[in-house]
Amino acid sequence: MKALTWHGKRDVRIDTVPDPAIEQPTDAIVRVTSTGLCGSDLHLYEVLGPFLGEGDILGHEPMGIVEEVGSEVSNLSPGDRVVVPFNISCGHCFMCGHGLQSQCETTQVLEQGSGAALFGYTKLYGQVPGGQAELLRVPQAQYGPIKVPQGPADDRFLFLSDVLPTAWQAVAYANVPNGGSVAVIGLGPIGEMACRVAQHLGAGQVIGLDLVPDRLSRSRGHGVETIDVDAVDDPAQTVRELTDGRGPDAVIDAVGMEAHGAPFGKMAHTLAGLMPDAVAKKVMLTAGVDRLAALNLAIEIVRRGGTVSVSGVYGGTADPLNMLQMFDKQITLRMGQANVRRWVDDLLPLLSGDEDPLGVDTFATHHVPLSEAPQAYATFQKKEDGAFKVVFRP
Ligand SMILES: NC(=O)c1ccc[n+]([C@@H]2O[C@H](COP(=O)([O-])OP(=O)(O)OC[C@H]3O[C@@H](n4cnc5c(N)ncnc54)[C@H](O)[C@@H]3O)[C@@H](O)[C@H]2O)c1
Ligand SMILES: [Zn+2]
Ligand SMILES: [Zn+2]
């Protein structure tokens, strides 16, 4: 089969690789029909190289048609249409029972001290072959894949794999009071969808911050009050002026470790990039390597007693955070990978009618054949050509 594989920093290729096969009785094989490119893939493309192996298949936002199931998969049959959550979870352990599927105890990557295994996401998360490929082996298929109806185009359901549950969890964890205010930092797919979910769930005021003009105007088109962080002197002050001088009830960080405008982390990333892999790995796992501009801004602008909900991915273990401010302001901080399965029952009804309240049918900006994925990675990383959400069609 053809698959998108990692070969080095900013070097991904389409290779011909062996077809996957059923290895465990709980596996399924899915023929992928659509598969998303994610901001999380950009971390692999840029900084997480030390944790990848040459030839690793990337991608964690797939959907498609079941081709084959293992003997213990009784809920799926060949021909079923399924969306595959980006985290691999069993459905029967303590963590899955508590709605913490991203911490699944059956698939936790113990030797790395990590949570649940993820598709296409480094040795830290199990080095499981990913979904930017023609075929995908899905472990724990007795629980993970979400069956969706035939009929609507793939984009109606595709974002159940990651964007929708991640945005939903970001808002749920933000604990926005009914009619209250929330600021969302980063208006990529996750941040923009979080704005839409917050509006849908009854937030009274949604403020979005970014620096890419077409992303700001896209969110403005959905009724978000936007701030260009590069165009104002003090984004925190600008947000306070919009929120009675107090700051919003909640702030969502939808940027993560590669925030623009964070010089120290940028240097650490660059240095790590120049080191031999073994050394860089150690440095990344023991040092503060994240670019913390977005998280620091979140802590600064949230109102006293408010909540900061972090969906942007961070990876350093010794990042300097402003504990004085966090403690003094009595901030609640919640974060983590999305527990995809936990939010599916909330989301599916919103994808079932004609109304499309979250606007998923028109969410993607680019549909490209998988063969053109390497170019799409480059365009998406540079945020050129209006690339907002790219979907590959294997
Ligand atoms: N928690 C999860 O389960 C989960 C799931 C999916 C994605 N993510 C993470 O969420 C983050 C966002 O994902 P995405 O797909 O939307 O990525 P993206 O890269 O498309 O979007 C990030 C946005 O942040 C903006 N930005 C950068 N620096 C900023 C700053 N200092 N202030 C304001 N805006 C800034 C960028 O211009 C961009 O529009 C990434 O870190 C991704 O890894 C987490
Ligand atoms: Zn993703
Ligand atoms: Zn589990």
Side-chain angles (χ1 to χ4, degrees), residues 167 171 176 182 184 193-204 206 252:
V171 176
V176 188
V182 57
V184 179
M193 187 55 80
C195 291
R196 296 185 190 189
V197 169
Q199 289 166 330
H200 176 77
L201 293 177
V206 181
I252 292 169

Side-chain angles (χ1 to χ4, degrees), residues 264-265 287-293 295-296 299 316-323 326:
F264 174 73
V289 292
D290 295 314
R291 293 157 67 172
L292 294 169
L295 183 53
N296 284 332
I299 292 163
T317 54
D319 289 319
L321 282 176
N322 188 338
M323 283 307 297
M326 290 162 77

Side-chain angles (χ1 to χ4, degrees), residues 39-53:
S40 295
D41 294 324
L42 293 181
H43 306 317
L44 310 180
Y45 195 60
E46 189 66 33
V47 297
L48 293 180
F51 302 101
L52 287 154

Side-chain angles (χ1 to χ4, degrees), residues 196-218:
R196 296 185 190 189
V197 169
Q199 289 166 330
H200 176 77
L201 293 177
Q205 184 181 24
V206 181
I207 299 166
L209 300 90
D210 204 296
L211 49 133
V212 180
D214 48 307
R215 295 189 171 202
L216 289 160
S217 66
R218 198 179 139 116

